[in-house]
Amino acid sequence: MKLAYLVLGATTLLLLGGYDSVLSTSDGNLHTFVGCAVREFTFLAKKPGCRGLRITTDACWGRCETWEKPILEPPYIEAHHRVCTYNETKQVTVKLPNCAPGVNPFYTYPMAVRCDCGACSTDTTECETI
């Protein structure tokens, strides 16, 4: 299960890093979008001993409002940091092509069902920069 969350976090980072080439919308400009939404995302699923398979799935994408303000008492700052994160996922399993003998050909990854702005949870998201 931890591997699935690792993939989930990596998918989020890849999605946020490359949304210009992955996403399109007729509803407005994604550069100014504030909020959290389920969006289509394509990645290459691979593991040692198998050929890669291009997969299109749903992932969370967006920007959430965040703020900090100074205060006079320790810790001298009040912070409110929310991130676009997974509220609900479902596990999807595919069979990778041309796997070597003895290699398990099945690859499981999370698919976003519902996304929201919320506190960063290390159970589902890589939070080390927050």
Side-chain angles (χ1 to χ4, degrees):
M1 193 68 152
K2 287 290 185 188
L3 178 60
Y5 288 125
L6 177 63
V7 172
L8 185 64
T11 302
T12 302
L13 292 175
L14 287 171
L15 181 59
L16 291 175
Y19 69 88
D20 284 330
S21 62
V22 176
L23 302 172
S24 63
T25 183
S26 59
D27 297 336
N29 186 343
L30 293 176
H31 293 287
T32 59
F33 174 76
V34 176
C36 187
V38 175
R39 298 284 184 183
E40 193 172 83
F41 174 67
T42 300
F43 71 99
L44 183 63
K46 56 185 177 179
K47 67 183 194 179
C50 297
R51 291 196 53 194
L53 178 67
R54 189 165 300 280
I55 294 174
T56 298
T57 187
D58 291 328
C60 295
W61 180 90
R63 272 181 222 108
C64 301
E65 292 188 358
T66 183
W67 54 263
E68 291 183 347
K69 68 179 181 182
I71 56 175
L72 297 176
E73 304 292 324
Y76 304 109
I77 195 161
E78 183 180 338
H80 180 76
H81 295 286
R82 298 183 330 146
V83 297
C84 181
T85 190
Y86 297 84
N87 240 352
E88 183 181 347
T89 61
K90 88 175 186 182
Q91 298 297 312
V92 179
T93 301
V94 296
K95 186 175 182 180
L96 297 177
N98 303 334
C99 291
V103 174
N104 180 354
F106 295 102
Y107 181 90
T108 301
Y109 62 93
M111 182 178 85
V113 175
R114 194 171 45 130
C115 305
D116 287 307
C117 291
C120 192
S121 169
T122 55
D123 289 341
T124 60
T125 308
E126 184 141 347
C127 304
E128 59 191 45
T129 59
I130 294 176

